[in-house]
Amino acid sequence: QLQLVESGGGLVQPGGSLRLSCAASGFTLNNYAIGWFRQAPGKEREGASCISRSGGSTRYADSVKGRFTISRDNAKNTVYLQMNSLKPEDTAVYYCIAKNSCATSRVVYWGKGTLVTVSS
């Protein structure tokens, strides 16, 4: 079965950190650019970050720039999202997605999401 599986979500206090992981099952992650979307309750889905196939190019939404870092370990078939200085407005379900490139909008694979809650 071809799928993306996210992990690492949870409850964290404001100012804290979490690292999300995205692992591929049934296909090779390094054939795709990998991104993270997030959707907060009652809000539209937002693209948070994306990393190219090689890892040489990354993109960030203005809302997370300087606080989040995306990286990939192709040998482990895994992409990471390091989230620092978390704010309550970062609370959302975070989805891992695979695309042919960060510049395209068409998503090839979606994960089921992992919940991040930032609250004191």
Side-chain angles (χ1 to χ4, degrees), residues 25-84:
S25 176
F27 66 99
T28 302
L29 206 62
N30 61 6
N31 289 335
Y32 298 93
I34 302 297
W36 289 93
F37 274 82
R38 64 184 185 177
Q39 187 163 22
K43 294 188 177 180
E44 291 189 358
R45 193 167 52 208
E46 173 192 28
S49 185
C50 188
I51 188 166
S52 63
R53 298 181 188 189
S54 67
S57 176
T58 57
R59 298 185 179 192
Y60 298 95
D62 287 343
S63 57
V64 307
K65 200 171 293 182
R67 300 186 298 120
F68 289 11
T69 302
I70 191 170
S71 62
R72 66 191 304 157
D73 185 339
N74 286 339
K76 294 184 177 180
N77 218 26
T78 303
V79 168
Y80 305 99
L81 186 68
Q82 178 67 43
M83 305 186 296
N84 298 329

